[in-house]
């Protein structure tokens, strides 16, 4: 079953109390999951230019430092 990065992170946080380093690791994992989901959705298209632009789109739109 697929789940969004936000769903994954909330399940992890509800299940256990975490320390700050653990929280930071989970946030990084959630961001990586979200990036993969966004890029995969772009790659699923039949448009070759759109597939090639997937990572560029992600980086320009969502890649923000935390």
């Amino acid at each position: 079953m697929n789940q969004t990065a936000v769903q994954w992170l909330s399940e992890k946080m509800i299940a256990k109390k975490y320390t700050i380093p653990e929280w930071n690791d989970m946030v990084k994992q959630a961001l990586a999951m979200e990036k993969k989901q966004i890029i995969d959705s772009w790659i699923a298209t039949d448009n070759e230019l759109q597939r090639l632009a997937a990572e560029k789109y992600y980086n320009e739109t969502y890649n923000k430092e935390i």
Side-chain angles (χ1 to χ4, degrees):
M1 179 178 147
N2 290 331
Q3 62 184 167
T4 68
V6 174
Q7 290 169 328
W8 176 86
L9 185 59
S10 66
E11 286 178 11
K12 293 288 186 184
M13 296 309 297
I14 291 169
K16 179 181 173 187
K17 292 181 181 177
Y18 288 95
T19 65
I20 298 285
E22 290 171 321
W23 166 258
N24 289 338
D25 288 343
M26 285 190 295
V27 168
K28 288 177 185 176
Q29 287 178 348
L31 290 170
M33 291 168 67
E34 191 103 81
K35 178 179 180 176
K36 183 179 181 327
Q37 291 170 348
I38 291 167
I39 290 173
D40 286 351
S41 70
W42 270 62
I43 291 172
T45 183
D46 288 335
N47 183 318
E48 178 69 21
L49 292 175
Q50 190 168 330
R51 281 197 304 264
L52 295 172
E55 187 148 3
K56 181 178 186 240
Y57 165 79
Y58 174 84
N59 288 332
E60 290 174 354
T61 308
Y62 297 101
N63 199 14
K64 308 288 186 233
E65 291 295 321
I66 293 181

PDB file of all heavy atoms in Angstrom, residues 1-28:
ATOM      1  N   MET A   1       0.838  -1.186   0.000  1.00  0.00           N
ATOM      2  CA  MET A   1       0.000   0.000   0.000  1.00  0.00           C
ATOM      3  C   MET A   1       0.882   1.248   0.000  1.00  0.00           C
ATOM      4  O   MET A   1       1.790   1.378   0.796  1.00  0.00           O
ATOM      5  CB  MET A   1      -0.893  -0.012   1.242  1.00  0.00           C
ATOM      6  CG  MET A   1      -1.791   1.174   1.355  1.00  0.00           C
ATOM      7  SD  MET A   1      -2.821   1.011   2.810  1.00  0.00           S
ATOM      8  CE  MET A   1      -2.963   2.700   3.261  1.00  0.00           C
ATOM      9  N   ASN A   2       0.597   2.160  -0.901  1.00  0.00           N
ATOM     10  CA  ASN A   2       1.332   3.419  -0.944  1.00  0.00           C
ATOM     11  C   ASN A   2       0.759   4.381   0.076  1.00  0.00           C
ATOM     12  O   ASN A   2      -0.416   4.335   0.407  1.00  0.00           O
ATOM     13  CB  ASN A   2       1.232   4.053  -2.324  1.00  0.00           C
ATOM     14  CG  ASN A   2       2.007   3.286  -3.361  1.00  0.00           C
ATOM     15  OD1 ASN A   2       3.000   2.649  -3.040  1.00  0.00           O
ATOM     16  ND2 ASN A   2       1.565   3.340  -4.587  1.00  0.00           N
ATOM     17  N   GLN A   3       1.607   5.223   0.582  1.00  0.00           N
ATOM     18  CA  GLN A   3       1.156   6.277   1.468  1.00  0.00           C
ATOM     19  C   GLN A   3       2.008   7.509   1.217  1.00  0.00           C
ATOM     20  O   GLN A   3       3.134   7.407   0.738  1.00  0.00           O
ATOM     21  CB  GLN A   3       1.215   5.857   2.933  1.00  0.00           C
ATOM     22  CG  GLN A   3       2.577   5.516   3.448  1.00  0.00           C
ATOM     23  CD  GLN A   3       2.595   5.007   4.884  1.00  0.00           C
ATOM     24  OE1 GLN A   3       3.584   4.500   5.299  1.00  0.00           O
ATOM     25  NE2 GLN A   3       1.542   5.119   5.634  1.00  0.00           N
ATOM     26  N   THR A   4       1.441   8.653   1.505  1.00  0.00           N
ATOM     27  CA  THR A   4       2.208   9.875   1.325  1.00  0.00           C
ATOM     28  C   THR A   4       3.249   9.986   2.422  1.00  0.00           C
ATOM     29  O   THR A   4       3.164   9.320   3.461  1.00  0.00           O
ATOM     30  CB  THR A   4       1.308  11.119   1.366  1.00  0.00           C
ATOM     31  OG1 THR A   4       0.803  11.264   2.695  1.00  0.00           O
ATOM     32  CG2 THR A   4       0.173  11.042   0.361  1.00  0.00           C
ATOM     33  N   ALA A   5       4.211  10.840   2.191  1.00  0.00           N
ATOM     34  CA  ALA A   5       5.253  11.059   3.200  1.00  0.00           C
ATOM     35  C   ALA A   5       4.651  11.605   4.487  1.00  0.00           C
ATOM     36  O   ALA A   5       5.076  11.242   5.589  1.00  0.00           O
ATOM     37  CB  ALA A   5       6.302  12.014   2.655  1.00  0.00           C
ATOM     38  N   VAL A   6       3.647  12.438   4.378  1.00  0.00           N
ATOM     39  CA  VAL A   6       3.014  13.002   5.566  1.00  0.00           C
ATOM     40  C   VAL A   6       2.291  11.910   6.361  1.00  0.00           C
ATOM     41  O   VAL A   6       2.368  11.877   7.593  1.00  0.00           O
ATOM     42  CB  VAL A   6       2.046  14.139   5.184  1.00  0.00           C
ATOM     43  CG1 VAL A   6       1.265  14.630   6.386  1.00  0.00           C
ATOM     44  CG2 VAL A   6       2.808  15.287   4.539  1.00  0.00           C
ATOM     45  N   GLN A   7       1.609  11.002   5.683  1.00  0.00           N
ATOM     46  CA  GLN A   7       0.954   9.893   6.375  1.00  0.00           C
ATOM     47  C   GLN A   7       1.979   9.024   7.089  1.00  0.00           C
ATOM     48  O   GLN A   7       1.786   8.635   8.239  1.00  0.00           O
ATOM     49  CB  GLN A   7       0.152   9.043   5.391  1.00  0.00           C
ATOM     50  CG  GLN A   7      -1.071   9.745   4.856  1.00  0.00           C
ATOM     51  CD  GLN A   7      -1.678   8.996   3.692  1.00  0.00           C
ATOM     52  OE1 GLN A   7      -0.993   8.341   2.914  1.00  0.00           O
ATOM     53  NE2 GLN A   7      -2.998   9.112   3.558  1.00  0.00           N
ATOM     54  N   TRP A   8       3.061   8.712   6.405  1.00  0.00           N
ATOM     55  CA  TRP A   8       4.123   7.891   6.996  1.00  0.00           C
ATOM     56  C   TRP A   8       4.684   8.560   8.244  1.00  0.00           C
ATOM     57  O   TRP A   8       4.827   7.934   9.287  1.00  0.00           O
ATOM     58  CB  TRP A   8       5.226   7.663   5.964  1.00  0.00           C
ATOM     59  CG  TRP A   8       6.402   6.922   6.501  1.00  0.00           C
ATOM     60  CD1 TRP A   8       6.549   5.569   6.577  1.00  0.00           C
ATOM     61  CD2 TRP A   8       7.599   7.485   7.049  1.00  0.00           C
ATOM     62  NE1 TRP A   8       7.772   5.254   7.140  1.00  0.00           N
ATOM     63  CE2 TRP A   8       8.431   6.417   7.438  1.00  0.00           C
ATOM     64  CE3 TRP A   8       8.053   8.775   7.243  1.00  0.00           C
ATOM     65  CZ2 TRP A   8       9.679   6.613   8.008  1.00  0.00           C
ATOM     66  CZ3 TRP A   8       9.292   8.964   7.813  1.00  0.00           C
ATOM     67  CH2 TRP A   8      10.085   7.887   8.189  1.00  0.00           C
ATOM     68  N   LEU A   9       5.016   9.845   8.146  1.00  0.00           N
ATOM     69  CA  LEU A   9       5.608  10.568   9.260  1.00  0.00           C
ATOM     70  C   LEU A   9       4.650  10.649  10.443  1.00  0.00           C
ATOM     71  O   LEU A   9       5.044  10.424  11.589  1.00  0.00           O
ATOM     72  CB  LEU A   9       6.032  11.974   8.814  1.00  0.00           C
ATOM     73  CG  LEU A   9       6.766  12.817   9.843  1.00  0.00           C
ATOM     74  CD1 LEU A   9       8.048  12.132  10.301  1.00  0.00           C
ATOM     75  CD2 LEU A   9       7.082  14.187   9.262  1.00  0.00           C
ATOM     76  N   SER A  10       3.384  10.919  10.189  1.00  0.00           N
ATOM     77  CA  SER A  10       2.432  11.025  11.299  1.00  0.00           C
ATOM     78  C   SER A  10       2.249   9.691  12.006  1.00  0.00           C
ATOM     79  O   SER A  10       2.159   9.649  13.234  1.00  0.00           O
ATOM     80  CB  SER A  10       1.088  11.568  10.812  1.00  0.00           C
ATOM     81  OG  SER A  10       0.468  10.674   9.938  1.00  0.00           O
ATOM     82  N   GLU A  11       2.233   8.587  11.260  1.00  0.00           N
ATOM     83  CA  GLU A  11       2.134   7.270  11.891  1.00  0.00           C
ATOM     84  C   GLU A  11       3.342   6.995  12.781  1.00  0.00           C
ATOM     85  O   GLU A  11       3.206   6.458  13.883  1.00  0.00           O
ATOM     86  CB  GLU A  11       2.012   6.178  10.838  1.00  0.00           C
ATOM     87  CG  GLU A  11       0.647   6.127  10.196  1.00  0.00           C
ATOM     88  CD  GLU A  11       0.559   5.066   9.116  1.00  0.00           C
ATOM     89  OE1 GLU A  11       1.482   4.220   8.986  1.00  0.00           O
ATOM     90  OE2 GLU A  11      -0.444   5.083   8.389  1.00  0.00           O
ATOM     91  N   LYS A  12       4.519   7.358  12.300  1.00  0.00           N
ATOM     92  CA  LYS A  12       5.736   7.151  13.094  1.00  0.00           C
ATOM     93  C   LYS A  12       5.714   7.988  14.368  1.00  0.00           C
ATOM     94  O   LYS A  12       6.087   7.525  15.440  1.00  0.00           O
ATOM     95  CB  LYS A  12       6.986   7.497  12.276  1.00  0.00           C
ATOM     96  CG  LYS A  12       7.234   6.576  11.121  1.00  0.00           C
ATOM     97  CD  LYS A  12       7.707   5.246  11.621  1.00  0.00           C
ATOM     98  CE  LYS A  12       8.091   4.349  10.463  1.00  0.00           C
ATOM     99  NZ  LYS A  12       8.464   3.027  10.884  1.00  0.00           N
ATOM    100  N   MET A  13       5.289   9.224  14.257  1.00  0.00           N
ATOM    101  CA  MET A  13       5.305  10.124  15.406  1.00  0.00           C
ATOM    102  C   MET A  13       4.251   9.737  16.436  1.00  0.00           C
ATOM    103  O   MET A  13       4.468   9.885  17.632  1.00  0.00           O
ATOM    104  CB  MET A  13       5.095  11.570  14.957  1.00  0.00           C
ATOM    105  CG  MET A  13       6.225  12.089  14.074  1.00  0.00           C
ATOM    106  SD  MET A  13       7.892  11.833  14.748  1.00  0.00           S
ATOM    107  CE  MET A  13       7.814  12.810  16.220  1.00  0.00           C
ATOM    108  N   ILE A  14       3.118   9.241  16.002  1.00  0.00           N
ATOM    109  CA  ILE A  14       2.064   8.829  16.925  1.00  0.00           C
ATOM    110  C   ILE A  14       2.468   7.557  17.661  1.00  0.00           C
ATOM    111  O   ILE A  14       2.166   7.391  18.849  1.00  0.00           O
ATOM    112  CB  ILE A  14       0.732   8.628  16.166  1.00  0.00           C
ATOM    113  CG1 ILE A  14       0.212   9.995  15.698  1.00  0.00           C
ATOM    114  CG2 ILE A  14      -0.297   7.914  17.022  1.00  0.00           C
ATOM    115  CD1 ILE A  14      -0.943   9.904  14.718  1.00  0.00           C
ATOM    116  N   ALA A  15       3.175   6.664  16.985  1.00  0.00           N
ATOM    117  CA  ALA A  15       3.519   5.359  17.548  1.00  0.00           C
ATOM    118  C   ALA A  15       4.504   5.448  18.713  1.00  0.00           C
ATOM    119  O   ALA A  15       4.511   4.594  19.583  1.00  0.00           O
ATOM    120  CB  ALA A  15       4.082   4.446  16.457  1.00  0.00           C
ATOM    121  N   LYS A  16       5.347   6.471  18.753  1.00  0.00           N
ATOM    122  CA  LYS A  16       6.413   6.517  19.748  1.00  0.00           C
ATOM    123  C   LYS A  16       6.861   7.954  19.962  1.00  0.00           C
ATOM    124  O   LYS A  16       6.804   8.760  19.059  1.00  0.00           O
ATOM    125  CB  LYS A  16       7.591   5.678  19.237  1.00  0.00           C
ATOM    126  CG  LYS A  16       8.794   5.635  20.130  1.00  0.00           C
ATOM    127  CD  LYS A  16       9.905   4.798  19.493  1.00  0.00           C
ATOM    128  CE  LYS A  16      11.169   4.924  20.333  1.00  0.00           C
ATOM    129  NZ  LYS A  16      12.298   4.277  19.689  1.00  0.00           N
ATOM    130  N   LYS A  17       7.330   8.236  21.149  1.00  0.00           N
ATOM    131  CA  LYS A  17       7.935   9.543  21.401  1.00  0.00           C
ATOM    132  C   LYS A  17       9.384   9.480  20.929  1.00  0.00           C
ATOM    133  O   LYS A  17      10.108   8.558  21.267  1.00  0.00           O
ATOM    134  CB  LYS A  17       7.882   9.888  22.884  1.00  0.00           C
ATOM    135  CG  LYS A  17       6.479  10.130  23.379  1.00  0.00           C
ATOM    136  CD  LYS A  17       6.484  10.501  24.840  1.00  0.00           C
ATOM    137  CE  LYS A  17       5.059  10.717  25.304  1.00  0.00           C
ATOM    138  NZ  LYS A  17       4.971  11.014  26.720  1.00  0.00           N
ATOM    139  N   TYR A  18       9.792  10.454  20.169  1.00  0.00           N
ATOM    140  CA  TYR A  18      11.118  10.445  19.576  1.00  0.00           C
ATOM    141  C   TYR A  18      11.975  11.594  20.094  1.00  0.00           C
ATOM    142  O   TYR A  18      11.464  12.642  20.465  1.00  0.00           O
ATOM    143  CB  TYR A  18      11.028  10.560  18.048  1.00  0.00           C
ATOM    144  CG  TYR A  18      10.519   9.298  17.414  1.00  0.00           C
ATOM    145  CD1 TYR A  18       9.181   9.144  17.122  1.00  0.00           C
ATOM    146  CD2 TYR A  18      11.383   8.256  17.124  1.00  0.00           C
ATOM    147  CE1 TYR A  18       8.705   7.980  16.541  1.00  0.00           C
ATOM    148  CE2 TYR A  18      10.922   7.089  16.546  1.00  0.00           C
ATOM    149  CZ  TYR A  18       9.585   6.962  16.256  1.00  0.00           C
ATOM    150  OH  TYR A  18       9.126   5.809  15.688  1.00  0.00           O
ATOM    151  N   THR A  19      13.276  11.393  20.069  1.00  0.00           N
ATOM    152  CA  THR A  19      14.218  12.450  20.414  1.00  0.00           C
ATOM    153  C   THR A  19      14.397  13.364  19.208  1.00  0.00           C
ATOM    154  O   THR A  19      13.999  13.021  18.088  1.00  0.00           O
ATOM    155  CB  THR A  19      15.592  11.868  20.805  1.00  0.00           C
ATOM    156  OG1 THR A  19      16.155  11.232  19.654  1.00  0.00           O
ATOM    157  CG2 THR A  19      15.480  10.867  21.937  1.00  0.00           C
ATOM    158  N   ILE A  20      15.024  14.491  19.404  1.00  0.00           N
ATOM    159  CA  ILE A  20      15.250  15.439  18.309  1.00  0.00           C
ATOM    160  C   ILE A  20      16.035  14.801  17.155  1.00  0.00           C
ATOM    161  O   ILE A  20      15.624  14.938  15.999  1.00  0.00           O
ATOM    162  CB  ILE A  20      15.973  16.707  18.821  1.00  0.00           C
ATOM    163  CG1 ILE A  20      15.122  17.430  19.857  1.00  0.00           C
ATOM    164  CG2 ILE A  20      16.359  17.627  17.673  1.00  0.00           C
ATOM    165  CD1 ILE A  20      13.949  18.200  19.333  1.00  0.00           C
ATOM    166  N   PRO A  21      17.156  14.085  17.403  1.00  0.00           N
ATOM    167  CA  PRO A  21      17.864  13.470  16.265  1.00  0.00           C
ATOM    168  C   PRO A  21      16.986  12.464  15.506  1.00  0.00           C
ATOM    169  O   PRO A  21      17.037  12.391  14.274  1.00  0.00           O
ATOM    170  CB  PRO A  21      19.067  12.778  16.902  1.00  0.00           C
ATOM    171  CG  PRO A  21      19.293  13.524  18.174  1.00  0.00           C
ATOM    172  CD  PRO A  21      17.913  13.927  18.640  1.00  0.00           C
ATOM    173  N   GLU A  22      16.188  11.695  16.233  1.00  0.00           N
ATOM    174  CA  GLU A  22      15.290  10.739  15.561  1.00  0.00           C
ATOM    175  C   GLU A  22      14.254  11.486  14.721  1.00  0.00           C
ATOM    176  O   GLU A  22      13.937  11.076  13.606  1.00  0.00           O
ATOM    177  CB  GLU A  22      14.590   9.849  16.590  1.00  0.00           C
ATOM    178  CG  GLU A  22      15.519   8.863  17.260  1.00  0.00           C
ATOM    179  CD  GLU A  22      14.866   8.142  18.424  1.00  0.00           C
ATOM    180  OE1 GLU A  22      14.106   8.767  19.183  1.00  0.00           O
ATOM    181  OE2 GLU A  22      15.132   6.946  18.564  1.00  0.00           O
ATOM    182  N   TRP A  23      13.728  12.560  15.256  1.00  0.00           N
ATOM    183  CA  TRP A  23      12.754  13.371  14.528  1.00  0.00           C
ATOM    184  C   TRP A  23      13.375  13.897  13.244  1.00  0.00           C
ATOM    185  O   TRP A  23      12.779  13.822  12.173  1.00  0.00           O
ATOM    186  CB  TRP A  23      12.279  14.516  15.407  1.00  0.00           C
ATOM    187  CG  TRP A  23      11.537  15.588  14.681  1.00  0.00           C
ATOM    188  CD1 TRP A  23      12.020  16.795  14.313  1.00  0.00           C
ATOM    189  CD2 TRP A  23      10.190  15.536  14.209  1.00  0.00           C
ATOM    190  NE1 TRP A  23      11.066  17.519  13.648  1.00  0.00           N
ATOM    191  CE2 TRP A  23       9.923  16.766  13.565  1.00  0.00           C
ATOM    192  CE3 TRP A  23       9.180  14.584  14.254  1.00  0.00           C
ATOM    193  CZ2 TRP A  23       8.702  17.059  12.990  1.00  0.00           C
ATOM    194  CZ3 TRP A  23       7.963  14.884  13.672  1.00  0.00           C
ATOM    195  CH2 TRP A  23       7.724  16.097  13.050  1.00  0.00           C
ATOM    196  N   ASN A  24      14.590  14.430  13.338  1.00  0.00           N
ATOM    197  CA  ASN A  24      15.263  14.966  12.159  1.00  0.00           C
ATOM    198  C   ASN A  24      15.464  13.883  11.099  1.00  0.00           C
ATOM    199  O   ASN A  24      15.281  14.133   9.903  1.00  0.00           O
ATOM    200  CB  ASN A  24      16.609  15.592  12.538  1.00  0.00           C
ATOM    201  CG  ASN A  24      16.451  16.877  13.314  1.00  0.00           C
ATOM    202  OD1 ASN A  24      15.418  17.534  13.258  1.00  0.00           O
ATOM    203  ND2 ASN A  24      17.473  17.235  14.059  1.00  0.00           N
ATOM    204  N   ASP A  25      15.838  12.682  11.520  1.00  0.00           N
ATOM    205  CA  ASP A  25      16.015  11.580  10.568  1.00  0.00           C
ATOM    206  C   ASP A  25      14.704  11.237   9.876  1.00  0.00           C
ATOM    207  O   ASP A  25      14.671  10.996   8.663  1.00  0.00           O
ATOM    208  CB  ASP A  25      16.572  10.342  11.272  1.00  0.00           C
ATOM    209  CG  ASP A  25      18.023  10.487  11.673  1.00  0.00           C
ATOM    210  OD1 ASP A  25      18.714  11.391  11.135  1.00  0.00           O
ATOM    211  OD2 ASP A  25      18.469   9.695  12.527  1.00  0.00           O
ATOM    212  N   MET A  26      13.604  11.203  10.636  1.00  0.00           N
ATOM    213  CA  MET A  26      12.312  10.873  10.035  1.00  0.00           C
ATOM    214  C   MET A  26      11.851  11.962   9.075  1.00  0.00           C
ATOM    215  O   MET A  26      11.266  11.659   8.030  1.00  0.00           O
ATOM    216  CB  MET A  26      11.274  10.606  11.109  1.00  0.00           C
ATOM    217  CG  MET A  26      11.471   9.256  11.762  1.00  0.00           C
ATOM    218  SD  MET A  26      10.121   8.778  12.815  1.00  0.00           S
ATOM    219  CE  MET A  26      10.231  10.008  14.085  1.00  0.00           C
ATOM    220  N   VAL A  27      12.104  13.209   9.410  1.00  0.00           N
ATOM    221  CA  VAL A  27      11.740  14.298   8.501  1.00  0.00           C
ATOM    222  C   VAL A  27      12.513  14.154   7.192  1.00  0.00           C
ATOM    223  O   VAL A  27      11.942  14.286   6.104  1.00  0.00           O
ATOM    224  CB  VAL A  27      11.978  15.670   9.156  1.00  0.00           C
ATOM    225  CG1 VAL A  27      11.873  16.792   8.129  1.00  0.00           C
ATOM    226  CG2 VAL A  27      11.001  15.898  10.294  1.00  0.00           C
ATOM    227  N   LYS A  28      13.796  13.853   7.279  1.00  0.00           N
ATOM    228  CA  LYS A  28      14.599  13.655   6.068  1.00  0.00           C
ATOM    229  C   LYS A  28      14.071  12.489   5.241  1.00  0.00           C
ATOM    230  O   LYS A  28      14.005  12.554   4.012  1.00  0.00           O
ATOM    231  CB  LYS A  28      16.064  13.434   6.431  1.00  0.00           C
ATOM    232  CG  LYS A  28      16.750  14.692   6.911  1.00  0.00           C
ATOM    233  CD  LYS A  28      18.179  14.412   7.334  1.00  0.00           C
ATOM    234  CE  LYS A  28      18.819  15.661   7.921  1.00  0.00           C
ATOM    235  NZ  LYS A  28      20.157  15.429   8.423  1.00  0.00           N
TER     236      LYS A  28
END
